[in-house]
Amino acid sequence: MSQGNDYTPPKVWTWEKASGGTFSSINRPVAGPTHEQALPVGKHPFQLYSMGTPNGVKATVMFEELLELGYQDAEYDAWLIRIGEGDQFGSGFVEANPNSKIPALVDHGPAEPIRVFESGSILLYLAERFEEFLPGSLTGRTETLNWLFWQMGSAPFLGGGFGHFYAYAPETLEYPIDRYAMEAKRQLDVLDRRLAETRYLAGDTYTIADIAAWPWYGQLVLGRLYDAAEFLQVHQYQHVLRWAREIDARPAVQRGRMVNRTFGDPAMQLHERHDASDFTHKTQDVLTS
C-alpha cells in the first residue's frame, strides 16, 4: 500500500476540484437543493424515500418487522432515491431532510405531515408509534438506546472511514486503511464481547438496536460489505456471527434487504415497494438465500 505524496494543507481550504473516488460526483461543501424535484406520494400514510444501503435497510427492515407482527397500518410506500445520481439534492428531498442523506420518511397520518430524518430517528419514531421493538421498562429502554446511539456514532468510522479508504478512495493509502481497520476491528470486538453475554444487543429481546446495527456489522461479518471479510478476519468474532446469522434468517429482514436495492443479484432487488404483494414474484428460494 502506498502512503501517497506528502501534502501540506493551505492556510485556507477552497473547493477547487472534485474529491475523487466513487462518490466524488455528489460530494460538495454546501447544503441545499441543486434542482427542483418534487417527491412522489403513494397511497399509504408512510412515505419512505431511500436506497438499499445499510442506513436505508434499517428503515425498510423496521417496517417489514412491524408488518410481520400484523400491523397493517405500517404499510408504506418506498421510493428509490438514487444517491449516485443526486436525487437527494432535489428540492422535495431536501425539504424532507435538510441534510440530503437517505433515508427520509414523511408520515402523512397526522393532520400536519411529520418529516423524520436520520435512520436512528426513524427507528425510534416507529418504535414509539407502534410500541414495538423498544422495551417499556426504564432499564430496557435505556440499554436499547445506548446501543442505538452507539451504532449511530460508530458506523461512520466503519463506512465513511474504513469502507471509503478500503473500497472507494481514488488512491490506496496505508495510513487511513490501517487507522480505520483498527477502529472497525475494535468496534467488532465491542459487539462480540456484548453478544457473548446476551442474545441481542439490549438483552434477550430483539430491538431497534439490533435493527440499526445489523445492516452494518451483521452484513460486514456475513461478507456483504466492502469485500473485506477476509481482510478484517471476521471469523474471529463468533458471537457477532451467531447474532448476524440469526437476524439474517428473519423473513422481515430478508424482505427489508430487497427494498430500494439497485445492486447485486437482480432477484434480490425491489426498486420500489408499494404493497406487500410486491414481494410475491420473488421465489421462496431467493427470500431464504
Side-chain angles (χ1 to χ4, degrees):
M1 294 183 184
S2 171
Q3 293 283 24
N5 297 324
D6 290 338
Y7 168 66
T8 302
K11 291 184 178 180
V12 177
W13 183 85
T14 57
W15 187 33
E16 296 178 346
K17 60 182 179 180
S19 61
T22 302
F23 301 105
S24 61
S25 64
I26 61 171
N27 291 334
R28 58 197 185 109
V30 294
T34 60
H35 58 282
E36 291 295 320
Q37 183 178 351
L39 290 177
V41 178
K43 61 185 178 180
H44 300 110
F46 291 115
Q47 299 293 301
L48 180 68
Y49 306 96
S50 191
M51 188 173 177
T53 67
N55 282 333
V57 166
K58 297 177 197 176
T60 51
V61 165
M62 182 65 173
F63 273 115
E64 295 299 330
E65 291 283 11
L66 290 168
L67 290 166
E68 188 78 9
L69 291 177
Y71 290 100
Q72 292 305 307
D73 50 348
E75 277 288 357
Y76 66 106
D77 290 281
W79 303 93
L80 176 60
I81 300 297
R82 295 182 182 271
I83 59 177
E85 298 176 13
D87 288 349
Q88 69 275 32
F89 300 120
S91 56
F93 191 90
V94 174
E95 184 176 349
N97 182 359
N99 197 38
S100 293
K101 302 290 184 182
I102 59 97
L105 174 68
V106 180
D107 182 359
H108 292 268
E112 291 291 331
I114 297 173
R115 71 178 186 185
V116 194
F117 59 89
E118 293 296 328
S119 57
S121 181
I122 291 172
L123 294 181
L124 184 56
Y125 181 80
L126 293 173
E128 292 181 334
R129 278 288 306 271
F130 291 92
E131 298 184 348
E132 294 288 353
F133 304 114
L134 182 62
S137 69
L138 178 62
T139 299
R141 176 186 173 87
T142 301
E143 188 67 8
T144 300
L145 295 183
N146 286 342
W147 288 103
L148 174 65
F149 294 131
W150 175 87
Q151 186 280 320
M152 296 297 293
S154 297
F157 294 98
L158 174 60
F162 173 75
H164 175 76
F165 286 105
Y166 184 77
Y168 302 135
E171 298 177 81
T172 302
L173 302 174
E174 183 177 4
Y175 173 77
I177 291 176
D178 281 353
R179 166 69 180 85
Y180 289 113
M182 183 184 303
E183 175 61 11
K185 289 181 70 65
R186 188 195 70 81
Q187 292 177 9
L188 287 169
D189 195 40
V190 169
L191 290 175
D192 204 59
R193 291 169 185 266
R194 172 58 178 171
L195 292 167
E197 303 170 342
T198 58
R199 182 178 178 184
Y200 298 110
L201 288 177
D204 293 331
T205 303
Y206 177 70
T207 69
I208 55 174
D210 303 289
I211 295 172
W214 181 86
W216 284 103
Y217 301 95
Q219 296 200 101
L220 178 67
V221 299
L222 292 174
R224 297 173 184 161
L225 287 186
Y226 313 127
D227 195 24
E230 181 179 6
F231 181 75
L232 294 174
Q233 296 180 287
V234 300
H235 67 275
Q236 296 174 334
Y237 308 103
Q238 288 297 309
H239 302 292
V240 181
L241 279 165
R242 182 269 307 163
W243 167 84
R245 288 166 179 154
E246 181 175 351
I247 293 175
D248 192 52
R250 297 176 69 93
V253 172
Q254 294 166 13
R255 294 194 303 271
R257 281 188 60 220
M258 294 183 184
V259 180
N260 295 146
R261 184 181 175 91
T262 61
F263 49 89
D265 183 352
M268 292 293 292
Q269 299 179 22
L270 189 64
H271 291 185
E272 291 184 358
R273 189 257 193 228
H274 304 293
D275 192 84
S277 63
D278 292 336
F279 291 106
T280 57
H281 68 286
K282 305 293 182 181
T283 67
Q284 190 61 29
D285 289 341
V286 168
L287 283 169
T288 57
S289 64

